């Protein structure tokens, strides 16, 4: 943990915007959800881990700013307008007339979604540490980064390293977000470990940690031993649970059961919910619960960003005791943010 920081708050204003830095691309996906081999139509949307976090933060009422670069092309204009439509400040997004907006194509499968990237030489891949001097970082309460950005180019890696400098004026959250297709063989683990250990808040999946740093990381506690630097470390164990280590203490909250339509974007949603919860509550358990509830928003839709559960549903579950949380069922109406006359929270049958 950087000197002078308490509980990951950094030196910036506690209510300053969360500045999310990274590439967002135009995204094509089969409509309806199916494999590319059998698809007749593709839906155009946008996809980017950092802008996903910014949009979900804005949904939670947290001031969010997305900083990146886009091409001077229709895809770039589509991306900018889409992110801004959710209340995210996009004034720090640069337009590069010489490079294109990146593109990805989703190929959903029964076990996982494969993603095909067309982002080499994109506008965002040319970003570098000079970006940190931009006015967009002034007054930041938190800067959010992911492990995707250092994989894009040498200049992008320098950008992340600069953002994690020891004397930074803001706290940094870092989602490891390991994407094997972006990395040369065996290089990701060596790059991502020191970056993550320099952040104030870190998110990592247990499966990611095992893939990057070894199968001997059998539980969240083992990951904490590997990453002692962050004041707050959140280890997500798939659909089972998430554990937050805050200083010397740890807190574990089981995930809620949900019918998964498409999983991409759920990790970004979880991170946004947890960060919003840490800003709103002095209670890591509530922050973890808000992370799970926000992740459900992404799991229930074929796009990266879905509507939050109804406010009444979130309030009921955030205030539930452990037994009520573990036995909760959230109805479809609640997940879509619609108040209905049916029960949206009840115990599962034993």
């Amino acid at each position: 943990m950087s000197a002078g920081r308490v509980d990951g708050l950094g030196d910036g204003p506690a209510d300053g915007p969360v500045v999310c830095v990274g590439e967002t691309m135009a995204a094509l996906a089969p409509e309806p959800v199916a494999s590319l081999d059998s698809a007749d139509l593709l839906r155009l949307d946008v996809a980017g881990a950092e802008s996903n976090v910014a949009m979900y933060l804005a949904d939670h009422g947290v001031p969010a700013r997305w900083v990146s670069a886009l091409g001077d092309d229709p895809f770039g204009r589509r991306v900018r307008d889409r992110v801004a439509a959710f209340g995210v400040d996009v004034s720090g997004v640069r337009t590069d007339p010489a490079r294109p907006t990146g593109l990805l194509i989703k190929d959903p499968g029964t076990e996982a979604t494969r993603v095909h990237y067309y982002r080499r030489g994109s506008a965002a891949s040319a970003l570098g540490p000079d970006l940190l001097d931009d006015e967009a970082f002034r007054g930041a309460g938190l800067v959010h980064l992911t492990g995707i950005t250092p994989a894009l180019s040498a200049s992008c890696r320098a950008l992340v390293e600069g953002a994690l400098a020891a004397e930074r004026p803001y706290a940094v959250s870092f989602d490891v977000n390991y994407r094997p297709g972006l990395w040369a063989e065996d290089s990701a683990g060596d790059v991502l470990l020191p970056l993550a250990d320099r952040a104030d808040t870190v998110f990592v999946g247990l499966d990611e940690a095992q893939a990057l740093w070894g199968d001997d990381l059998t539980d969240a506690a083992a990951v904490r031993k590997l990453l002692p630097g962050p004041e707050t470390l959140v280890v997500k164990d798939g659909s089972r649970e998430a554990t937050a280590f805050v200083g010397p203490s740890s807190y574990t909250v089981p995930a809620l059961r949900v019918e998964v339509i498409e999983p991409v974007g759920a990790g970004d949603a979880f991170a946004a919910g947890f960060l919003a919860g840490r800003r709103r509550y002095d209670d890591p358990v509530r922050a973890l619960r808000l992370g799970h509830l926000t992740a459900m928003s992404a799991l229930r839709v074929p796009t990266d960003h879905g509507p939050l559960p109804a406010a009444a549903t979130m309030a009921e579950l955030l205030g539930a005791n452990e037994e009520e949380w573990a036995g909760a069922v959230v109805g479809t109406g609640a997940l879509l943010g619609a108040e209905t006359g049916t029960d949206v929270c009840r115990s599962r049958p034993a």
Side-chain angles (χ1 to χ4, degrees):
M1 183 176 67
S2 301
R5 302 187 193 284
V6 179
D7 198 25
L9 295 178
D11 302 319
D15 58 351
V18 179
V19 179
C20 303
V21 186
E23 181 171 35
T24 294
M25 297 163 286
L28 296 174
E31 179 69 40
V33 176
S35 71
L36 282 176
D37 291 336
S38 60
D40 293 321
L41 296 174
L42 296 178
R43 179 189 67 254
L44 175 61
D45 206 335
V46 306
E50 300 83 5
S51 62
N52 284 342
V53 172
M55 288 189 288
Y56 278 116
L57 284 168
D59 288 343
H60 283 297
V62 176
R65 183 177 296 150
W66 173 54
V67 177
S68 187
L70 296 165
D72 186 12
D73 50 42
F75 281 159
R77 291 186 285 277
R78 177 71 170 254
V79 168
R80 186 190 300 265
D81 290 347
R82 171 75 169 168
V83 176
F86 288 93
V88 175
D89 178 357
V90 298
S91 60
V93 178
R94 299 177 176 182
T95 299
D96 188 332
R99 297 178 178 86
T101 303
L103 173 70
L104 68 79
I105 301 176
K106 289 184 180 181
D107 186 5
T110 55
E111 299 297 327
T113 296
R114 296 183 61 194
V115 178
H116 304 275
Y117 295 107
Y118 301 88
R119 68 199 310 177
R120 187 182 301 275
S122 69
S125 71
L127 291 172
D130 64 294
L131 183 68
L132 299 171
D133 296 325
D134 195 279
E135 185 68 26
F137 290 85
R138 301 269 195 271
L142 179 73
V143 170
H144 180 73
L145 305 164
T146 79
I148 296 171
T149 302
L152 300 183
S153 66
S155 65
C156 281
R157 186 176 301 179
L159 164 61
V160 174
E161 290 172 344
L164 286 165
E167 299 305 316
R168 56 188 183 263
Y170 37 68
V172 174
S173 61
F174 185 83
D175 189 339
V176 172
N177 218 329
Y178 174 46
R179 305 290 175 88
L182 298 178
W183 291 91
E185 188 174 359
D186 296 332
S187 68
D190 292 338
V191 172
L192 292 174
L193 182 61
L195 292 177
D197 205 42
R198 287 158 56 187
D200 299 282
T201 297
V202 171
F203 300 92
V204 64
L206 181 59
D207 57 344
E208 286 181 306
Q210 291 168 341
L212 285 165
W213 304 309
D215 291 337
D216 57 329
L217 299 171
T218 56
D219 56 23
V223 180
R224 182 52 160 173
K225 288 181 181 179
L226 183 70
L227 287 167
E231 172 67 22
T232 300
L233 171 66
V234 179
V235 182
K236 300 167 290 180
D237 190 3
S239 61
R240 290 172 288 279
E241 62 188 23
T243 299
F245 298 89
V246 182
S249 303
S250 65
Y251 310 84
T252 298
V253 173
L256 295 167
R257 293 182 187 176
V258 59
E259 179 185 358
V260 177
I261 302 299
E262 212 273 335
V264 176
D268 308 326
F270 182 96
F274 181 85
L275 292 173
R278 288 294 281 154
R279 179 172 288 209
R280 187 179 302 169
Y281 311 113
D282 185 22
D283 180 0
V285 170
R286 283 199 171 203
L288 286 167
R289 288 185 177 186
L290 195 58
H292 285 310
L293 285 164
T294 310
M296 291 172 66
S297 304
L299 292 169
R300 291 285 298 177
V301 295
T303 59
D304 287 7
H305 181 272
L308 293 177
T313 299
M314 290 198 292
E316 182 177 350
L317 286 170
L318 288 172
N321 61 38
E322 291 185 9
E323 184 178 359
E324 290 168 341
W325 171 269
V329 171
V330 184
T332 302
L335 284 169
L336 296 178
E339 301 291 357
T340 69
T342 60
D343 292 337
V344 293
C345 297
R346 59 186 185 277
S347 295
R348 287 193 292 265

